[in-house]
Amino acid sequence: MSNTNISETGENLSFVLEGIHKVKFEPRPVPELKDPHDVLVNVRYTGICGSDVHYWEHGSIGQFVVKDPMVLGHESSGVIVKVGSAVKSVKPGDAVALEPGVPCRRCEPCKSGKYNLCYNMAFAATPPYDGTLAEFYVLPEDFCYKLPAHMSLQEGAAIEPLGVAVHIVKQADVRPGTTVVVFGAGPVGLLCCAVARAFGASKVIAVDIQPNRLQFAKKYAATAVFAPEKVAAAQNAARMIEENDLGPGADIAIDASGAEPSVHTGIHVLRTGGTYVQGGMGKDEITFPIMAACSKELNIKGSFRYSSGDYKLAVDLVASGRVNVKELITGTVKFQEAEQAFKDVKAGKGIKTLIAGVRA
C-alpha cells in the first residue's frame, strides 16, 4: 500500500452528533483499509444537507434513529492519501468526489443495477454508519470519482446533491422538448432545473413560496417561475398552465419539496399520460388526489438517492460546463465552525454551505 500526508498524530478529528442539538469534536482513530480495493481520503469540503440538519434537530429520520454517537456529513470531496493493494483507478494525490453509500453488491436490487435500493446499504451519516465530517474517510475505489484538473474541490462537494438531481431527472425521463415543472427551489430543486435544461427540456418552471428563491431560480436555470397562492391545488395548476402556455398540461412534474400542496399541484398540472416523480421527503403520509392520477393515467415514480452512472454523469455535467454548481455555494466555513453552520442552514441562510476540512 502507498500513502502520503496521513496525520502524524494518528488522530481523525470528527464532528460527532451525540443527541438532539448535542454535538462535539472528537479525535478518533484514522480508519484502516480493510479491503484491498479501499482507499483513504483526506476530506477537504463537505456540504450540509437537510438530512444532516434533521438528525441534529430531531435525532431521527423515519426508521433511522441515532442511538449511538454518529459522525455527520455525506456531501464530500477530498484527496486520496492511501490506497489498497488492488486499487487501480485512483492514486494518492487524486482529487475526488465521494459517493457516500456502499451497497452490499449481492442482493437482488444490487445485481439488477439498482444498488441505491440495496437491502444492506451502508450510507454515510445514516444510523448506524458514520459520515464524512472527519479528517479522513474510507471508501471503495469505485465510489471515488476523479475530478478533472479544472474542477475545484468545492465543486466536487456539490456532486452529491447533483447526483440526486440527476437520478430524479433520469427517473422522469426528461427528453429534448419536454416541459417540466419543479416544485421546491432548494439545492436539489434548483439542480433538477439545471439538469432538466441540460437534458433538453424546452420549459422548466420552478415553483416555491419564497420570492428570493424564485428570483435565484430564474437567474440560475429555470425558464420561468411560479409563486402559488393559498387556493386549491387545481386552481394553482390551472393558473400555471395558462401563464406558461402548457396546453393540456406539463409533460413532467418533479417534487423536490416534500410539501403536500406541491404534490397535489404537481398531479393537477400534468397532461394526460404525464410523469410525476417524488424526490422530496416530507410527512410519512399525506392525502393524495388519486382520482386525477388515475383518470389521467399518470406515470408516478419515486426517486431515492442515486444509482448506476448518476455520479459519473454529474461530474461530466459540471466538467463540461452544462451545469454550474459554483453559483449554489453561498458560503464556506472552517471545520471548527461546523455547529454554527448547522444553525445557519436551519435558519434558512444561503443555498449551499460548505464546511472546509480539518486542516484547510
Side-chain angles (χ1 to χ4, degrees), residues 1 28 50 59 164 207 252-253 276 358:
M1 296 186 181
R28 293 185 167 195
V164 171
V207 182
I252 292 161
Y276 177 89
V358 173

Side-chain angles (χ1 to χ4, degrees), residues 96-243:
V96 293
L98 310 183
E99 184 174 347
V102 181
C104 74
R105 308 177 192 260
R106 295 177 179 86
C107 67
E108 194 56 40
C110 282
K111 293 170 77 172
S112 68
K114 295 184 177 182
Y115 66 77
N116 58 315
L117 305 180
C118 173
Y119 298 135
N120 301 294
M121 174 69 78
F123 198 87
T126 297
Y129 303 103
D130 286 321
T132 59
L133 267 172
E135 187 169 2
F136 299 102
Y137 191 76
V138 166
L139 269 178
E141 63 172 313
D142 54 320
F143 286 83
C144 295
Y145 297 79
K146 284 175 66 172
L147 302 179
H150 67 279
M151 257 183 81
S152 69
L153 283 158
Q154 289 95 328
E155 289 173 295
I159 295 300
E160 197 277 345
L162 179 54
V164 171
V166 165
H167 191 71
I168 291 171
V169 175
K170 283 168 69 175
Q171 286 287 89
D173 196 22
V174 173
R175 300 181 183 189
T178 51
T179 56
V180 182
V181 180
V182 178
F183 293 85
V188 170
L190 290 166
L191 288 167
C192 283
C193 291
V195 176
R197 290 285 297 276
F199 278 28
S202 59
K203 294 181 181 180
V204 178
I205 302 150
V207 182
D208 206 291
I209 58 174
Q210 296 186 31
N212 59 329
R213 285 191 172 189
L214 291 181
Q215 191 176 0
F216 184 89
K218 184 68 184 296
K219 181 183 73 173
Y220 179 63
T223 61
V225 296
F226 182 85
E229 297 173 347
K230 290 187 176 179
V231 297
Q235 288 179 259
N236 275 321
R239 180 167 68 90
M240 198 188 316
I241 289 169
E242 183 180 356
E243 288 181 3

